[in-house]
Amino acid sequence: MFFTSWRAGQNARPTNVAVTVMKQLVVFIRKEFYHVFRDRRTLLILFGLPTAQIMLFGYALSSEVKNISLAIVDFSKDVASQQIVGKIQSSTYFTIQQSTMSYGDMERAFLKGKIKAALVFPTDFYDDLQHVKKAQIQIITDASDPNTATTITNYLTRIVGDYQQEMNQNARVPYQIVTEMRMLYNPDMNGSLNFIPGVLALILMIVCTTLTSVSIVREKELGTMEVLLVSPFQPILVLIAKAVPYLVLSLLDFVLILVLAVFVLHMPIRGSVSLLFAESTLFIICCLSLGLMISNVTSSQQVAMLVSMMGMMLPTILFTGFIFPLENMPVPLQIIANVVPSRWYYLIVKAIMLKGLGLGAVWKETLILMGMTLALLGISLKNFKIRLA
Amino acid sequence: MNQTQEKAISCRELTKQFGDFVAVNKITFDVEAGEIFGFLGANGAGKTTAMRMLCGLSYPTSGQASVASFDVYKQQESIKKTIGYMSQKFSLYENLTVLENIEFFGGIYGLSDKELKLKSDELVSTLGLGPEARKLVGSLPLGWKQKLAFSVAIIHEPRIVFLDEPTGGVDPVTRRQFWDLIYAAADRGITIFVTTHYMDEAEYCNRISIMVDGKVEALDSPGNLKRQFNTDSMDDVFYQLARGAKRSAD
């Protein structure tokens, strides 16, 4: 929109001026691309950083629990306990460490950290199941990490529940209420599904602000900005010529992340891809404006880099909501979170990619992002002019 | 040239104030068209501020000035099209080749493709660059960079070119070659407005002005100034004037 409004303004002038301006812009934008493709540091930020981050968050930092070391303490040793153990073995979540052991062995294994959980079948498990129709199993977990312990308990309860359900199909027990769990939008409890929209927001935020602010500040630092300002090239065009290449490159970055997310991390895109694209373009423009603003208040590349990488990283990680749920934060922090653009973009991406919703569901977030973009753009344009006077 | 009667630059009581600090204090002078005009002064004397006003980079606080008969208050855009500028800092792009730099700055000044081709060929042969034309500017020696920066500053054949300490850090031989380029440009009718710290360079100018504490304290040809201050070196003239300065270097 930044671009179209500028063009609308140009049409009012004689055409030859518009042609000159267009040619100047093309020359300038070409120069920006030379800079990008010849600077290893820029290329690293542009393509290395996103790849590393998406892989890191997708694989290493996932919140799901896999390969849990589990001990089976089976005093019953019967058909039912064997079948349950078989079911556990076939799931990818557990590795069974030891099949039989005493309580004493089990405790030592917990203390050494060899096992995270134990499943105990009492001696009369099968008898009770057959005759009383009610048997007990004990699940013991290492709750020094409470989240993992809860997850493990849930997994085991579910497996036992499954077994119980299968049994009931054959038995003639009339009524039994079985709780059935369904994890919506993410049935496999795949932790990276929640991370990817967040990482996407984080990466775009950092890459866009860093590249724009550094590329403008570099011209200030090297003295070329002064030469540009003395030339007939309009200052506003300097900003446009800086914004356009980085918009294109950021969109490329977005595509890169999306491709990695879909094909490597198996992230679904349930909603409209073009809507996702449009929303991402809006978010990128918002981040570019933030970059312009940073470039207005800094005068060395190091500072610009520090502000845009370090300064943006922490609030984005904290207040986007993909790592720490915003609902649990104290109200003042929730209010701060509202001014972080990535928070809104994260909601939009989740809605489109995971829930398959359309613009009707995210129009509010979209409007907020638009408002932020206009405000940031307005502030940076105004300051840019003041600097020239 | 219908502009021969008009002054290239004309200042009347031009003043720039930052708060209480008067950086440039009512300076009045003319620069004739086609002249090489040396603009001297110690660091902090107000040279750069004065030059920035003339280039349309900042607005004067008071006084009048025109560049190529365009008003510095109202016609900054027209001024920008008429002048060339070479800043103190080396201002070409180091990670662009010589030819790419020429294309970029030529393009910014609105040269047509044909003019650009002509200009870059001419430039490469005048500077004796040859195969280096396709090398990154960052890999060239400083002397060449400075000469290239000057050639790029006048690529659009401006009426006036402003040079802000163009030969800083350059060896004497290269400086001499640099001045050959300046003379060649002046012969083509380009007015040269140059600031410098080197007194030998001051001698190359047709006329020089010396600024002290925001004021122009002397203005004449180097020969006349030496006679006026009763000495045979420009250094002496400069020291006699600068000794009275109250402002310290910035």
Side-chain angles (χ1 to χ4, degrees):
Chain A
M1 59 186 317
F2 183 32
F3 201 54
T4 44
S5 69
W6 162 76
R7 277 166 77 173
Q10 286 300 314
N11 286 342
R13 296 191 193 177
T15 24
N16 59 339
V17 176
V19 170
T20 320
V21 168
M22 209 55 217
K23 267 179 87 174
Q24 285 179 324
L25 263 184
V26 169
V27 167
F28 203 118
I29 290 170
R30 190 173 58 198
K31 180 209 72 148
E32 288 303 311
F33 278 110
Y34 286 144
H35 284 322
V36 171
F37 291 117
R38 283 175 195 171
D39 185 22
R40 209 176 297 153
R41 194 171 58 179
T42 312
L43 283 179
L44 204 65
I45 293 177
L46 202 54
F47 298 111
L49 188 82
T51 313
Q53 282 201 342
I54 197 97
M55 289 302 159
L56 207 65
F57 277 98
Y59 283 117
L61 300 178
S62 111
S63 67
E64 66 179 327
V65 188
K66 267 187 184 168
N67 300 321
I68 306 153
S69 308
L70 175 78
I72 305 283
V73 185
D74 190 353
F75 296 114
S76 178
K77 294 207 180 68
D78 55 62
V79 191
S81 68
Q82 292 299 322
Q83 280 172 338
I84 293 177
V85 171
K87 270 180 124 13
I88 293 173
Q89 256 168 341
S90 64
S91 87
T92 53
Y93 297 115
F94 296 99
T95 356
I96 292 175
Q97 287 295 354
Q98 267 162 300
S99 288
T100 45
M101 50 164 55
S102 66
Y103 276 114
D105 287 342
M106 184 183 74
E107 206 175 327
R108 273 187 289 280
F110 266 122
L111 282 174
K112 282 185 183 162
K114 273 191 190 162
I115 54 169
K116 286 280 173 207
L119 190 64
V120 186
F121 295 93
T123 13
D124 42 7
F125 174 69
Y126 193 66
D127 283 347
D128 281 355
L129 198 66
Q130 289 298 306
H131 303 112
V132 191
K133 304 266 183 215
K134 195 179 173 191
Q136 282 186 329
I137 304 177
Q138 192 182 20
I139 297 170
I140 305 170
T141 48
D142 176 357
S144 55
D145 179 354
N147 283 333
T148 315
T150 316
T151 316
I152 295 173
T153 314
N154 284 338
Y155 286 161
L156 285 172
T157 316
R158 220 173 137 202
I159 292 172
V160 175
D162 270 2
Y163 177 71
Q164 191 184 325
Q165 214 182 340
E166 277 169 34
M167 264 180 37
N168 286 340
Q169 282 172 351
N170 307 326
R172 276 174 284 114
V173 180
Y175 300 107
Q176 189 147 19
I177 297 167
V178 181
T179 49
E180 196 206 49
M181 287 202 302
R182 255 190 84 201
M183 303 306 249
L184 286 176
Y185 314 121
N186 187 3
D188 307 327
M189 291 285 279
N190 183 349
S192 54
L193 286 198
N194 204 25
F195 273 132
I196 291 169
V199 177
L200 186 64
L202 177 67
I203 294 173
L204 287 181
M205 186 102 175
I206 289 172
V207 169
C208 299
T209 45
T210 310
L211 289 184
T212 357
S213 61
V214 168
S215 90
I216 294 179
V217 171
R218 187 197 291 132
E219 301 241 8
K220 281 207 254 174
E221 205 176 69
L222 297 180
T224 43
M225 187 60 91
E226 213 173 67
V227 176
L228 291 178
L229 295 179
V230 176
S231 81
F233 198 65
Q234 300 273 330
I236 177 90
L237 292 186
V238 175
L239 294 186
I240 294 174
K242 286 280 177 189
V244 169
Y246 290 110
L247 177 65
V248 172
L249 291 167
S250 303
L251 278 173
L252 269 182
D253 229 19
F254 166 71
V255 172
L256 170 75
I257 300 167
L258 214 58
V259 166
L260 284 175
V262 171
F263 292 103
V264 183
L265 300 171
H266 308 296
M267 171 102 180
I269 305 180
R270 300 208 172 90
S272 142
V273 178
S274 43
L275 178 63
L276 189 61
F277 231 89
E279 295 281 1
S280 302
T281 311
L282 174 63
F283 179 63
I284 290 171
I285 294 176
C286 185
C287 298
L288 293 179
S289 321
L290 196 61
L292 290 184
M293 208 174 82
I294 293 173
S295 72
N296 278 342
V297 292
T298 50
S299 49
S300 86
Q301 290 183 68
Q302 263 85 8
V303 177
M305 196 125 166
L306 208 69
V307 171
S308 12
M309 287 186 106
M310 297 303 153
M312 291 298 124
M313 185 95 81
L314 199 64
T316 312
I317 289 179
L318 276 179
F319 296 124
T320 300
F322 73 111
I323 295 183
F324 309 106
L326 295 177
E327 295 78 17
N328 300 348
M329 288 185 184
V331 178
L333 289 186
Q334 289 194 26
I335 293 170
I336 296 176
N338 284 342
V339 299
V340 177
S342 56
R343 173 208 199 294
W344 304 105
Y345 178 65
Y346 172 65
L347 290 179
I348 294 172
V349 173
K350 264 206 324 193
I352 297 174
M353 287 184 86
L354 295 179
K355 298 184 189 166
L357 298 174
L359 187 60
V362 293
W363 64 270
K364 238 198 303 192
E365 286 84 356
T366 311
L367 273 185
I368 293 173
L369 266 188
M370 267 184 194
M372 283 182 175
T373 310
L374 287 179
L376 287 171
L377 213 54
I379 295 172
S380 15
L381 289 185
K382 196 165 164 254
N383 286 350
F384 197 71
K385 273 188 189 149
I386 287 170
R387 240 168 15 82
L388 298 183
Chain B
M1 284 279 237
N2 54 355
Q3 302 289 340
T4 38
Q5 301 306 322
E6 286 174 24
K7 310 285 184 197
I9 300 169
S10 158
C11 300
R12 293 288 171 273
E13 308 216 318
L14 193 67
T15 301
K16 179 80 186 185
Q17 222 170 323
F18 298 104
D20 288 339
F21 178 71
V22 187
V24 174
N25 194 356
K26 294 186 180 171
I27 57 171
T28 297
F29 65 85
D30 289 322
V31 176
E32 307 295 332
E35 186 175 29
I36 300 178
F37 188 84
F39 200 56
L40 277 61
N43 283 336
K47 286 174 302 182
T48 304
T49 311
M51 195 149 156
R52 288 175 66 87
M53 285 190 281
L54 296 176
C55 291
L57 278 178
S58 81
Y59 284 107
T61 312
S62 66
Q64 296 302 314
S66 68
V67 173
S69 66
F70 294 117
D71 185 67
V72 292
Y73 291 96
K74 295 179 202 123
Q75 293 169 299
Q76 288 194 337
E77 291 315 308
S78 306
I79 291 176
K80 285 178 181 181
K81 283 181 192 150
T82 334
I83 63 169
Y85 176 72
M86 182 176 165
S87 84
Q88 242 166 26
K89 288 184 193 168
F90 175 68
S91 49
L92 296 181
Y93 294 100
E94 304 242 346
N95 61 355
L96 258 56
T97 68
V98 174
L99 286 178
E100 283 162 357
N101 266 295
I102 296 173
E103 273 166 29
F104 175 72
F105 284 102
I108 291 297
Y109 277 97
L111 262 61
S112 71
D113 293 345
K114 219 174 86 188
E115 288 171 312
L116 251 173
K117 176 86 186 60
L118 222 69
K119 268 286 170 191
S120 24
D121 288 350
E122 182 194 314
L123 243 162
V124 168
S125 72
T126 331
L127 296 179
L129 279 165
E132 284 86 356
R134 292 188 188 283
K135 276 194 188 163
L136 296 187
V137 166
S139 66
L140 297 180
L142 184 66
W144 249 346
K145 284 186 192 172
Q146 298 291 77
K147 284 187 275 182
L148 185 63
F150 174 72
S151 310
V152 168
I154 57 166
I155 194 162
H156 55 297
E157 292 291 325
R159 298 239 295 272
I160 303 155
V161 65
F162 290 86
L163 310 172
D164 195 1
E165 287 174 31
T167 52
V170 173
D171 65 82
V173 178
T174 318
R175 240 163 62 202
R176 181 65 241 188
Q177 291 170 344
F178 190 89
W179 274 88
D180 287 341
L181 287 178
I182 292 182
Y183 275 121
D187 284 345
R188 289 210 301 277
I190 299 176
T191 307
I192 315 279
F193 186 93
V194 56
T195 73
T196 181
H197 279 306
Y198 299 106
M199 288 309 136
D200 58 330
E201 290 190 351
E203 307 258 11
Y204 300 148
C205 299
N206 300 129
R207 283 193 310 149
I208 56 172
S209 74
I210 298 176
M211 265 185 99
V212 180
D213 288 349
K215 288 183 180 153
V216 172
E217 292 291 347
L219 198 168
D220 214 326
S221 68
N224 285 346
L225 280 178
K226 279 185 277 190
R227 271 192 291 282
Q228 189 187 326
F229 284 86
N230 227 340
T231 168
D232 54 359
S233 89
M234 272 313 296
D235 271 339
D236 248 20
V237 176
F238 189 77
Y239 287 132
Q240 286 187 41
L241 282 165
R243 205 178 291 135
K246 293 187 180 59
R247 279 186 209 163
S248 58
D250 49 11

